[in-house]
């Protein structure tokens, strides 16, 4: 791969708050776990285990609502110090495999531009990063997406499945995004509703509009929308 071709990897992994909670309470592995605090607190759910998600609990819900949906769940608080240490561990581990790394609570990004001496191709390099995340976070292989921009890599990871790498070839970003729904755009729901009101039903429909029309409708954010939907960097 040529050095000038930008390639980014997005890995969606278990929320670091959940990983920290299960390290504190290993007896809860495989059980319904809700991270955020006691249900009587007026706080949102931060993270959930697979068993709690199966009951309909999602991050952002009030803890009290989560208790109604999943009364058998264990509610645990957030250990900010342990989450910080986990984030540092992830950054250190991935930093051994990629020249540029960004870690978040449930997504991490790595620069795969260029080549890596230990791995003959991008697919094996991406798989090595996935294995490293799995080992660092005591979990399963994450869902991974690789593409030419951060947004497309993120969407590819969403479209992937755990233990899989979804790679979008350079130049194929717009085609990959075209049939996908507007709800994937990182915009205020009010903007999404306005796009739908214009008769736009997928990212490709937005990409086919002129950037000037989107700028007229949405200001500077319209230009960002257009670049996202075309699979371009915001600065392109």
């Amino acid at each position: 791969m040529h050095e000038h071709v930008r390639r980014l990897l997005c890995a969606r992994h278990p929320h670091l708050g959940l990983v920290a909670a299960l390290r504190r309470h290993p007896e809860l592995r495989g059980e319904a776990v809700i991270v955020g605090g006691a249900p009587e607190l007026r706080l949102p759910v931060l993270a959930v285990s697979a068993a709690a998600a199966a009951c309909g609990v999602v991050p952002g819900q009030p803890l009290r609502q989560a208790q109604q949906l999943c009364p058998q769940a264990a509610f645990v608080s957030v250990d900010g110090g342990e989450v910080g240490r986990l984030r540092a561990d992830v950054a250190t581990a991935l930093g051994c495999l990629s020249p540029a790394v960004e870690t978040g609570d449930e997504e991490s990004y790595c620069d795969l531009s260029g080549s890596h001496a230990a791995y003959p191709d991008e697919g094996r390099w991406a798989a090595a990063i996935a294995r490293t995340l799995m080992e660092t976070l005591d979990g399963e292989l994450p869902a991974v997406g690789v593409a030419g921009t951060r947004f497309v890599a993120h969407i590819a990871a969403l479209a992937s499945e755990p233990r899989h790498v979804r790679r979008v070839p350079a130049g194929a970003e717009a085609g990959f995004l075209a049939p996908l729904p507007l709800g994937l755009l990182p915009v205020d729901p009010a903007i999404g509703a306005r796009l739908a009101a214009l008769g736009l039903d997928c990212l490709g429909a937005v990409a086919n509009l002129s950037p000037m029309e989107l700028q007229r409708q949405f200001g500077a954010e319209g230009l960002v929308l257009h670049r996202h939907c075309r699979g371009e960097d915001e600065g392109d």
Side-chain angles (χ1 to χ4, degrees):
M1 181 177 297
H2 298 299
E3 292 288 340
H4 68 276
V5 177
R6 188 171 190 237
R7 299 292 284 169
L8 295 177
L9 175 149
C10 173
R12 294 182 55 78
H13 48 70
H15 195 288
L16 299 184
L18 178 62
V19 176
L22 293 177
R23 285 186 175 181
R24 294 202 312 275
H25 304 284
E27 71 279 6
L28 294 178
R29 291 189 181 278
E31 303 296 325
V33 179
I34 297 172
V35 181
E40 60 268 19
L41 297 174
R42 294 181 177 272
L43 292 172
V45 172
L46 179 66
V48 300
S49 68
C55 294
V57 182
V58 297
Q61 282 177 338
L63 288 167
R64 188 176 298 278
Q65 181 184 1
Q67 185 183 40
Q68 293 169 351
L69 290 168
C70 193
Q72 75 275 22
F75 287 77
V76 297
S77 60
V78 183
D79 186 330
E82 180 61 19
V83 169
R85 286 188 287 275
L86 273 172
R87 192 179 295 113
D89 289 345
V90 170
T92 298
L94 296 184
C96 296
L97 295 174
S98 170
V101 170
E102 179 184 332
T103 59
D105 285 344
E106 54 191 344
E107 280 192 345
S108 294
Y109 290 85
C110 296
D111 189 345
L112 295 193
S113 305
S115 60
H116 192 294
Y119 305 102
D121 56 53
E122 178 182 276
R124 296 187 192 183
W125 192 1
I129 288 172
R131 287 194 302 272
T132 296
L133 272 170
M134 176 191 70
E135 294 162 0
T136 306
L137 298 179
D138 317 327
E140 297 182 352
L141 286 168
V144 173
V146 182
T149 72
R150 180 188 178 94
F151 174 66
V152 181
H154 165 74
I155 298 300
L158 286 175
S160 182
E161 299 176 358
R163 303 177 296 281
H164 288 80
V165 177
R166 180 69 179 267
R167 295 166 60 205
V168 181
E173 289 85 1
F176 166 71
L177 294 174
L180 301 179
L182 298 179
L184 293 174
L185 285 170
V187 297
D188 187 282
I191 292 179
R194 286 178 61 193
L195 288 168
L198 292 173
L200 306 172
D201 60 356
C202 61
L203 300 189
V206 179
N208 287 335
L209 292 178
S210 77
M212 293 305 101
E213 173 62 18
L214 283 168
Q215 184 178 35
R216 186 179 69 81
Q217 292 278 350
F218 301 102
E221 190 160 5
L223 296 178
V224 175
L225 278 173
H226 191 253
R227 294 185 185 113
H228 275 322
C229 292
R230 288 176 58 84
E232 299 171 351
D233 275 324
E234 291 187 18
D236 286 351

